[in-house]
Amino acid sequence: QSATVSQNYFPPFFSSRFTKPVIGIITKIDLIEDPEKRKKAHELLTLAGANKVFEVSLIKNTGLTDLENYLFNSDK
């Protein structure tokens, strides 16, 4: 879910189709000026069924370590 758009690409309860835990990733957090956009992105991903939400920025290299640690080191 891009933090720069308000459109939701995932319908509510989208993750119920999957047998594995589902995470959400908010991208482009370096471009967020309005804190409400960050909150809205969290809400949309949670509504879709994300159990955990990560915020990342490739430009500022933010949040990538947490995401990598989760993907490679957690029991999920």
Side-chain angles (χ1 to χ4, degrees):
Q1 178 74 39
S2 171
T4 61
V5 297
S6 59
Q7 183 177 2
N8 183 11
Y9 297 102
F10 307 103
F13 308 107
F14 178 74
S15 71
S16 63
R17 302 175 188 192
F18 306 108
T19 59
K20 299 284 185 180
V22 175
I23 63 169
I25 301 173
I26 302 172
T27 61
K28 302 178 183 177
I29 62 166
D30 53 303
L31 300 177
I32 298 175
E33 293 180 10
D34 181 2
E36 287 300 311
K37 286 187 177 184
R38 183 183 304 241
K39 182 179 175 185
K40 182 66 174 178
H42 269 273
E43 289 173 1
L44 292 173
L45 290 171
T46 301
L47 183 61
N51 301 56
K52 186 163 180 67
V53 177
F54 294 91
E55 298 180 2
V56 300
S57 167
L58 296 178
I59 301 296
K60 293 188 177 182
N61 199 25
T62 304
L64 297 175
T65 301
D66 291 337
L67 177 58
E68 288 174 355
N69 286 338
Y70 179 84
L71 292 174
F72 297 113
N73 299 320
S74 75
D75 293 333
K76 296 174 221 57

